[in-house]
């Protein structure tokens, strides 16, 4: 029976999470009660497929928050109350649509996974007496409902368990006890590093050289890195500088830019603490990076363009901004970027995922947290 497949699959998923992502596992809630499940079906006027009942009897959804258990689609597992709320909301949307959008959401669809920040999510067809009963689909705000995910929740969970067990080969990443779903980086085109340095008069894209080491970093750059961002915010300045240098070198190596002598020489000197010349569009390093920009524009290679821009930012700009943006760009090249960044920050103990209070009480002159500080002050009055 597929309900047995649900139980077997959850056993595999739970075991994997306990070992590799215990903080994510801790967000899975205890079983729902049979009476609660029956009442939900009556309130919605539908019959839940046996697989959904079996899953709710194992885990009544996952707690909200950044550590929450989510499917590979990014959707958080919903419990009974979430199913009721999200399904009722979707029914309300569908009632307000015209005939041209018929089928956008059907009355007997039940949502069991939520993207949270939008109406997107996983759903199940609960129309009894049909071959589609229990089939898994996904709803998108822009396009409506599509099917093809799985014929049952049991199949869907079994595939999920197998994906987790394959690890990084399937885009599964763990960091600090949490589960992340990442797309495998595509194969990168190979570029030759033998091209001669362009002449100063050649027509090339301009490089942004407006950076300054004293530029303030807005909190938003750090907040997206969650606990790693909080760690960057509280580390001594010298450690941030060291991490910025290491991250930039990683980025240069991963993109092949380190093969250019102008880039390698500049990074070697920067790592040794040698002061580099003031930025100049016709200097050897700037000329090389401008040539890379032109090459990237011709090949529509956005990540290579970003990498060239980050080299300039890292050498001539704020180390706080550099370490954040180098890590962000590296996420397009490697699944290990979080672990690498943590290592470059000295593998220091990670603080909790920062909230508004953390940023409101932060006192780092290199970071602009004024908005949060003002909000925190109002809360204290």
């Amino acid at each position: 029976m597929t309900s047995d497949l649900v139980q077997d699959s959850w056993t595999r998923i739970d075991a994997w999470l306990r070992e590799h992502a215990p903080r994510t596992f801790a967000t899975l809630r205890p079983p729902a009660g049979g009476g609660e499940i029956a009442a939900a079906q009556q309130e919605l006027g539908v019959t839940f497929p046996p697989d959904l009942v079996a899953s709710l009897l194992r885990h009544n959804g996952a707690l909200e928050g950044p550590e929450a258990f989510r499917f590979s689609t990014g959707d958080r597992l919903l419990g009974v109350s979430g199913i009721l709320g999200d399904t009722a909301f979707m029914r309300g949307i569908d009632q307000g649509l015209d005939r041209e959008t018929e089928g956008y959401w059907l009355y007997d669809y039940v949502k069991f996974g939520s993207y949270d920040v939008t109406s997107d999510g996983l759903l199940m067809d609960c129309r009894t007496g049909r071959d589609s009963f229990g089939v898994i689909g996904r709803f998108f705000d822009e396009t409506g409902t599509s099917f093809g995910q799985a014929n049952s929740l049991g199949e869907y969970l079994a595939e999920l368990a197998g994906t987790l067990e394959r690890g990084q080969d399937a885009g599964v990443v763990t960091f600090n006890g949490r589960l992340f779903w990442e797309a495998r980086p595509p194969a990168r085109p190979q570029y030759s590093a033998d091209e001669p340095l362009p002449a100063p008069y050649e027509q090339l894209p301009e490089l942004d050289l407006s950076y300054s080491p004293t530029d303030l970093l807005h909190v938003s750059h750090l907040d997206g890195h969650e606990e790693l961002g909080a760690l960057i915010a509280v580390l001594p300045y010298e450690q941030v500088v060291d991490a910025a240098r290491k991250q930039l070198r990683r980025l240069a190596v991963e993109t092949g830019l380190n093969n250019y002598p102008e880039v390698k020489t500049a990074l070697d000197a920067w790592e040794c603490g040698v002061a580099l010349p003031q930025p100049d569009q016709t200097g050897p390093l700037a000329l090389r990076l401008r040539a890379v920009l032109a090459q990237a524009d011709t090949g529509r290679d956005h990540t290579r363009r970003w990498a060239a821009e980050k080299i300039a930012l890292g050498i001539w700009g704020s180390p706080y901004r550099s370490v954040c943006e180098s890590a962000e760009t590296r996420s397009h090249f490697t699944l290990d970027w979080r672990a690498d960044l943590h290592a470059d920050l000295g593998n220091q103990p990670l603080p909790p995922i920062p909230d508004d209070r953390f940023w409101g009480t932060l006192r780092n002159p290199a970071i602009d947290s004024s908005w949060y500080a003002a909000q925190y002050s109002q809360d204290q009055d």
Side-chain angles (χ1 to χ4, degrees):
M1 294 178 63
T2 56
S3 56
D4 292 333
L5 184 58
V6 169
Q7 293 299 332
D8 292 342
S9 299
W10 270 123
T11 296
R12 292 167 61 195
I13 294 168
D14 289 352
W16 191 93
L17 291 173
R18 280 194 199 96
E19 180 178 356
H20 301 283
R23 291 172 64 188
T24 297
F25 174 71
T27 69
L28 288 170
R29 300 180 63 202
E36 183 182 10
I37 298 171
Q41 295 179 80
Q42 183 174 7
E43 181 173 339
L44 292 174
V46 299
T47 299
F48 288 171
D51 283 14
L52 180 55
V53 174
S55 182
L56 289 168
L57 289 172
R58 185 64 176 258
H59 290 299
N60 190 17
L63 299 173
E64 296 184 52
E67 299 177 352
F69 171 80
R70 294 181 179 274
F71 297 101
S72 59
T73 53
D75 302 310
R76 177 176 58 87
L77 178 70
L78 293 176
V80 173
S81 62
I83 289 172
L84 286 170
D86 278 38
T87 301
F89 177 78
M90 294 308 305
R91 287 177 175 179
I93 290 178
D94 193 58
Q95 287 176 357
L97 299 175
D98 58 33
R99 291 182 180 274
E100 292 183 1
T101 55
E102 185 177 356
Y104 187 75
W105 181 274
L106 298 184
Y107 183 86
D108 288 333
Y109 290 166
V110 166
K111 193 172 175 184
F112 70 93
S114 175
Y115 199 64
D116 286 338
V117 294
T118 67
S119 299
D120 300 353
L122 289 166
L123 61 95
M124 186 175 294
D125 189 341
C126 293
R127 291 177 293 175
T128 57
R130 293 173 174 261
D131 292 340
S132 61
F133 182 63
V135 169
I136 305 302
R138 194 163 192 275
F139 173 82
F140 293 90
D141 275 337
E142 295 83 0
T143 57
T145 302
S146 63
F147 289 92
Q149 276 70 22
N151 290 325
S152 69
L153 184 56
E155 287 185 14
Y156 193 75
L157 292 173
E159 183 178 350
L160 175 67
T163 300
L164 291 173
E165 290 162 356
R166 289 198 303 276
Q168 280 203 357
D169 288 341
V172 177
V173 176
T174 57
F175 175 74
N176 195 27
R178 299 168 60 194
L179 168 65
F180 296 89
W181 296 101
E182 302 280 5
R184 290 290 302 174
R188 301 292 309 155
Q190 297 297 312
Y191 296 91
S192 171
D194 296 331
E195 303 97 338
L197 190 67
Y201 55 79
E202 287 193 33
Q203 294 296 313
L204 297 168
E206 291 286 296
L207 192 66
D208 185 355
L209 298 177
S210 63
Y211 309 117
S212 168
T214 59
D215 288 342
L216 286 180
L217 178 71
H218 193 271
V219 155
S220 59
H221 290 272
L222 293 165
D223 198 29
H225 291 308
E226 299 181 319
E227 62 262 58
L228 284 166
L231 179 60
I232 292 169
V234 300
L235 282 179
Y237 177 81
E238 294 75 16
Q239 285 185 257
V240 176
V241 172
D242 185 55
R245 289 170 176 163
K246 291 176 178 177
Q247 282 286 299
L248 201 64
R249 177 70 80 176
R250 289 183 190 270
L251 179 61
V253 169
E254 289 163 351
T255 57
L257 296 184
N258 199 62
N259 296 327
Y260 293 110
E262 300 82 11
V263 175
K264 184 178 186 304
T265 299
L267 292 180
D268 288 345
W270 188 46
E271 288 174 355
C272 293
V274 176
L276 296 175
Q278 290 297 311
D280 181 344
Q281 295 286 349
T282 60
L285 176 59
L287 277 175
R288 175 58 67 196
L289 295 177
R290 291 173 65 195
V292 172
L293 293 182
Q295 186 184 60
D297 289 344
T298 299
R300 297 184 179 181
D301 190 343
H302 303 299
T303 50
R304 188 170 173 83
R305 167 175 261 279
W306 295 336
E309 292 170 341
K310 301 320 170 198
I311 297 293
L313 167 62
I315 289 177
W316 289 305
S318 158
Y320 283 92
R321 182 174 173 187
S322 175
V323 73
C324 290
E325 296 198 10
S326 292
E328 183 178 339
T329 304
R330 291 189 63 244
S331 70
H332 296 275
F333 295 91
T334 175
L335 297 180
D336 292 321
W337 67 271
R338 292 181 185 84
D340 290 341
L341 176 56
H342 190 207
D344 291 346
L345 292 168
N347 281 322
Q348 298 288 329
L350 287 163
I353 296 173
D355 55 14
D356 289 358
R357 183 182 183 280
F358 174 90
W359 298 121
T361 57
L362 178 69
R363 297 295 178 265
N364 185 328
I367 298 172
D368 178 10
S369 56
S370 55
W371 185 87
Y372 291 92
Q375 294 298 115
Y376 179 73
S377 296
Q378 290 179 9
D379 292 342
Q380 299 305 300
D381 293 341

